[in-house]
Amino acid sequence: MKRSLQQRLQEGTVIVGEGYLFELERRGYLQAGSFVPEVALDNPQALKQAYRDFMNAGSDVVLAFTYNGNREKMRIIGKEELLEPLNRNAIQLAKEVAKEHPVEEALVAGNISNTNIFDPNDPASKEQVRSIFAEMVQWCKEEGVDFVNGETFYYYEEALIALEEITKQELPAVITFGLMGENILRDGYTVEEACQLLSEKGALVVGMNCFRGPDTIQPFVAKIREAVKGYIGALPIPYRTTEAHPTFFNLPDGGCSCHLPTETTFPTALDPLYHNRYELAAWAKEAKDIGVNYIGLCCGGSPAMLRAVAEAVGKETVNSKYSPNMEKHFLFGTDKTLKKHNLEYRSKA
């Protein structure tokens, strides 16, 4: 029998693969810039394979890819009539893949996110945001998701509206913030204060995702852990953000030898700035050790990276059989049948 999210949290760490926007753009099925998940309708098999790859790499959750699949985004690209089919299809595909898990059926999460139209000084924008969330969460309820993930909020009040609409549908809520470079939410709340408030208002999991890599997310995650009694989550990007450049929006690449067509390396020239899987695994272990319950990676994360994160917190994944093992490698292996003249050449190769 499939355990609920709360049951899994009670019993141990939950691993969550996010970041489909970057992954599907990298695979060639999504346009950078608008970042609208049309793949759910245009290339459903590509989306199913991405779901499958992250699930087999250790994700306990198949997150329906409706990030940016809201009415405002669809309006911008002139395809508002496809809004409901896109949302429902993304969830239905997620449910199909979740059933494939050979050990225990994966959880399916609905997904809502920052709308980029919320304005704390404009009451009309708040009602528009509520309407956007209400219809998306309603479709989540009708399609039978296990919980709803509301993510990447940089205003506390927008996150609160998301929680309220999820709660109205009697669904468990995971709410995570994206913290921008000023180190405070844009309506003046600290991220730990915002998480504490949402946890007290009924969110099952609160925390942070996206925008920041392990080095610049972890200090704030530690503050959240101190402030919040309930479950907390952390899903950084896998890029080497720094104190001087805490988010990937303005992350420089001093080694770039070409003229970028974009103002910064974000979003299509971040490739040289990745953390390797071992650094990400070390972060995951640190996160678990301080009491983070819901751990994953966001934009830029790959299945191999997520598998390393899952294994670092003690999980064996479906695809752990493919985890690195250099024993048989002709230069770096330890197998006694390997040729000595090659092994001795390893430092010259």
Side-chain angles (χ1 to χ4, degrees):
M1 183 175 178
K2 181 169 73 169
R3 292 170 298 157
S4 68
L5 175 60
Q6 185 161 7
Q7 288 172 324
R8 296 182 195 220
L9 289 165
Q10 288 170 345
E11 294 170 17
T13 308
V14 172
I15 299 296
V16 188
E18 291 191 357
Y20 295 123
L21 276 174
F22 275 32
E23 180 67 14
L24 284 157
E25 194 277 335
R26 184 166 47 207
R27 296 186 186 193
Y29 295 101
L30 188 142
Q31 184 181 59
S34 59
F35 282 125
V36 177
E38 296 176 83
V39 64
L41 296 174
D42 293 346
N43 290 284
Q45 292 307 312
L47 179 55
K48 284 185 73 173
Q49 191 59 48
Y51 285 160
R52 186 177 294 117
D53 291 346
F54 281 94
M55 181 181 74
N56 289 341
S59 184
D60 296 302
V61 178
V62 181
L63 179 64
F65 185 35
T66 57
Y67 187 99
N68 279 346
N70 61 53
R71 188 166 295 281
E72 172 62 15
K73 277 286 188 177
M74 298 301 281
R75 180 197 65 78
I76 290 174
I77 65 170
K79 297 182 179 180
E80 202 169 342
E81 76 280 0
L82 298 179
L83 174 65
E84 184 174 349
L86 185 155
N87 275 259
R88 290 190 185 276
N89 210 41
I91 297 169
Q92 291 164 9
L93 295 171
K95 291 175 71 174
E96 290 175 16
V97 172
K99 289 181 172 64
E100 296 176 6
H101 198 289
V103 179
E104 180 181 13
E105 183 178 338
L107 296 167
V108 173
N111 185 228
I112 58 177
S113 58
N114 54 306
T115 62
N116 302 323
I117 61 172
F118 180 87
D119 182 344
N121 299 313
D122 180 7
S125 78
K126 299 177 185 182
E127 289 309 308
Q128 187 179 0
V129 166
R130 187 176 295 279
S131 175
I132 284 172
F133 292 159
E135 64 183 355
M136 293 179 75
V137 177
Q138 177 66 40
W139 296 327
C140 289
K141 178 74 170 182
E142 291 171 358
E143 294 295 339
V145 304
D146 296 300
F147 67 95
V148 175
N149 179 61
E151 61 179 336
T152 330
F153 297 111
Y154 44 87
Y155 287 103
Y156 163 73
E157 192 176 351
E158 186 177 31
L160 177 59
I161 294 170
L163 176 59
E164 288 171 350
E165 293 306 315
I166 296 167
T167 302
K168 284 179 185 177
Q169 296 297 334
E170 300 181 331
L171 289 166
V174 173
I175 306 289
T176 51
F177 290 97
L179 189 63
M180 291 193 175
E182 293 184 308
N183 297 333
I184 194 166
L185 298 178
R186 290 187 63 185
D187 45 2
Y189 291 83
T190 66
V191 70
E192 64 270 24
E193 179 184 13
C195 285
Q196 181 181 26
L197 289 169
L198 292 180
S199 181
E200 290 171 352
K201 291 178 183 296
L204 179 59
V205 179
V206 294
M208 293 175 66
N209 78 296
C210 212
F211 295 3
R212 292 170 176 254
D215 292 344
T216 57
I217 203 174
Q218 190 65 6
F220 294 93
V221 171
K223 291 179 181 179
I224 294 168
R225 181 65 287 171
E226 291 179 2
V228 173
K229 294 180 181 179
Y231 300 114
I232 72 165
L235 302 96
I237 56 171
Y239 299 105
R240 289 175 171 159
T241 54
T242 66
E243 187 174 347
H245 300 282
T247 76
F248 64 177
F249 291 120
N250 293 289
L251 197 58
D253 176 14
C256 181
S257 60
C258 71
H259 176 73
L260 296 177
T262 51
E263 187 176 347
T264 71
T265 57
F266 176 86
T268 52
L270 288 162
D271 307 72
L273 304 172
Y274 272 119
H275 278 290
N276 64 50
R277 67 187 71 185
Y278 307 106
E279 292 171 309
L280 297 170
W283 164 78
K285 187 176 185 305
E286 179 185 354
K288 182 186 178 184
D289 288 347
I290 70 165
V292 180
N293 318 95
Y294 185 98
I295 294 176
L297 296 173
C298 205
C299 292
S302 70
M305 291 175 176
L306 188 71
R307 183 182 62 202
V309 163
E311 291 174 345
V313 301
K315 297 222 171 194
E316 182 176 358
T317 79
V318 175
N319 280 352
S320 284
K321 60 185 177 181
Y322 300 122
S323 294
N325 181 351
M326 300 301 288
E327 181 184 354
K328 308 296 183 184
H329 193 273
F330 81 107
L331 284 176
F332 301 105
T334 57
D335 189 293
K336 293 181 180 179
T337 65
L338 292 172
K339 301 301 181 184
K340 183 179 179 182
H341 70 283
N342 286 331
L343 296 175
E344 292 175 345
Y345 194 73
R346 69 177 69 188
S347 63
K348 301 175 184 178

